[in-house]
Amino acid sequence: MNDTTEQQSFSGMPLGAEESQGSNRIYVSLRTGKICQTDSKKQPAGFKPAQTQNKDKTINNFFAKEYDHLTGYVTDVRWHTHKLNDGTVLSGWNVTIDTTKEVYVLQVSTNDRPFERFMNVMLAVDFEKPVRFVAFMGKHKQTGHPQKVLLLTQQMNADGKPIWLQPITPEKWLSRGIINKLKQNLALTEAEENNISRMADGTFNKEYPYIVQGLDEKWSMDAWRNFLLEQVHEFVIPNVQAANAARGVISHSESSSQPSADVPLEDDSSVISGPPIGSADDDIPF
């Protein structure tokens, strides 16, 4: 990679830039909930039948190989956009993870429920050290619907359990009820106070990137998402660049085996089923 390409991959890259589909990269996503490789046409060795559902209830059938976790050095973070065969446009972050054996690209889509939290947690990562990415299918706290979860860790406790990295900036949900109380100078409950930010003099902070409930009672994450996108460009990507420079070139072993993240495969007759795209993951707040 030349100096110009290197610089563009770390700073100043406009949203919508395409990730190079190099043959030396293994692309993985949260498409079934867990981190997995997918193939839409054939069933490579170790892959199982899988499916997800679109908003219109149509089914996407493909093949997937799931991983319990993926651990390695993050060496690149960049924006990616592509269009599916049904016309759906997907975008999100492509995170290059070097395991010292293979190089993976984890695709975190804007359609995935962990998208905002993922950006927030990436701000807490020490990129000079390996990062473990763990994904699984959880449940929405209120509806019980399936919901993707993506957690990051760089340290285990004395019992060998992961210490999960936490978001840097707290999510704050500004409901119509809170907005009306603020307008009328009414007292807020303790829970409502936790959902707002105040200035040093105690006045309400209007500039905080709230997740806001509109007059139609629908929630908008636009301000929150844009804030986190800016944080990734301003802090995460330069931190990755600095870590690459400090760490130097990563040496690769001659082994081309899959990482220990590989999950033992069960009966090939079973089908991996992912959550509906743009449906269950859209239930907010949680």
Side-chain angles (χ1 to χ4, degrees):
M1 182 179 290
N2 59 43
D3 290 342
T4 301
T5 305
E6 184 82 13
Q7 181 64 25
Q8 288 177 345
S9 69
F10 289 114
S11 64
M13 175 169 286
L15 297 184
E18 289 287 338
E19 166 72 84
S20 173
Q21 301 289 322
S23 59
N24 60 337
R25 298 290 186 267
I26 302 172
Y27 286 79
V28 292
S29 66
L30 308 179
R31 195 171 177 187
T32 67
K34 286 191 175 182
I35 296 171
C36 64
Q37 293 175 249
T38 61
D39 195 305
S40 60
K41 297 180 180 179
K42 61 183 183 295
Q43 185 174 7
F47 284 59
K48 295 172 63 176
Q51 59 181 215
T52 56
Q53 187 182 62
N54 298 315
K55 287 184 178 181
D56 61 4
K57 305 301 182 182
T58 56
I59 300 296
N60 298 311
N61 291 297
F62 53 98
F63 301 99
K65 182 177 184 180
E66 294 185 320
Y67 296 92
D68 178 67
H69 64 262
L70 184 59
T71 305
Y73 294 97
V74 173
T75 59
D76 193 21
V77 178
R78 64 177 69 189
W79 191 257
H80 174 72
T81 299
H82 67 283
K83 182 181 289 186
L84 301 181
N85 292 334
D86 63 2
T88 301
V89 177
L90 299 178
S91 59
W93 293 110
N94 275 8
V95 182
T96 302
I97 304 165
D98 194 324
T99 70
T100 73
K101 292 183 179 181
E102 293 90 13
V103 179
Y104 290 78
V105 177
L106 173 61
Q107 300 175 306
V108 184
S109 169
T110 56
N111 282 359
D112 289 332
R113 190 65 189 91
F115 182 69
E116 282 78 20
R117 190 180 191 279
F118 162 77
M119 291 190 288
N120 208 347
V121 173
M122 285 285 279
L123 292 162
V125 172
D126 178 355
F127 292 105
E128 292 189 29
K129 300 177 181 178
V131 186
R132 172 164 291 184
F133 297 80
V134 180
F136 58 92
M137 194 68 71
K139 290 186 178 181
H140 188 285
K141 290 182 179 179
Q142 295 178 0
T143 67
H145 290 164
Q147 189 163 269
K148 298 172 187 173
V149 177
L150 177 62
L151 301 177
L152 282 65
T153 183
Q154 293 189 287
Q155 185 180 2
M156 300 293 180
N157 64 20
D159 296 328
K161 296 182 179 179
I163 300 173
W164 302 115
L165 293 173
Q166 298 301 311
I168 293 298
T169 307
E171 268 187 9
K172 290 185 179 293
W173 299 73
L174 193 57
S175 68
R176 293 309 307 175
I178 294 177
I179 292 172
N180 291 335
K181 280 189 173 183
L182 289 169
K183 286 181 177 180
Q184 300 173 49
N185 293 318
L186 298 177
L188 302 181
T189 66
E190 182 178 353
E192 290 170 336
E193 278 289 347
N194 290 335
N195 275 356
I196 68 168
S197 176
R198 292 191 181 275
M199 309 293 282
D201 62 2
T203 57
F204 172 61
N205 180 7
K206 297 180 180 179
E207 302 304 318
Y208 196 89
Y210 295 101
I211 302 168
V212 182
Q213 187 178 34
L215 291 172
D216 58 0
E217 297 189 352
K218 292 183 178 180
W219 292 94
S220 172
M221 302 186 76
D222 290 350
W224 177 239
R225 176 170 291 191
N226 288 337
F227 167 77
L228 291 174
L229 287 168
E230 290 175 357
Q231 294 290 292
V232 173
H233 277 282
E234 186 173 353
F235 297 106
V236 173
I237 294 175
N239 286 346
V240 170
Q241 180 185 25
N244 285 343
R247 186 176 52 245
V249 177
I250 298 175
S251 61
H252 286 73
S253 67
E254 296 181 359
S255 171
S256 60
S257 62
Q258 298 294 339
S260 60
D262 208 348
V263 173
L265 297 175
E266 301 175 355
D267 181 5
D268 285 341
S269 63
S270 61
V271 176
I272 301 168
S273 182
I277 296 177
S279 177
D281 279 2
D282 287 344
D283 286 329
I284 54 179
F286 63 91

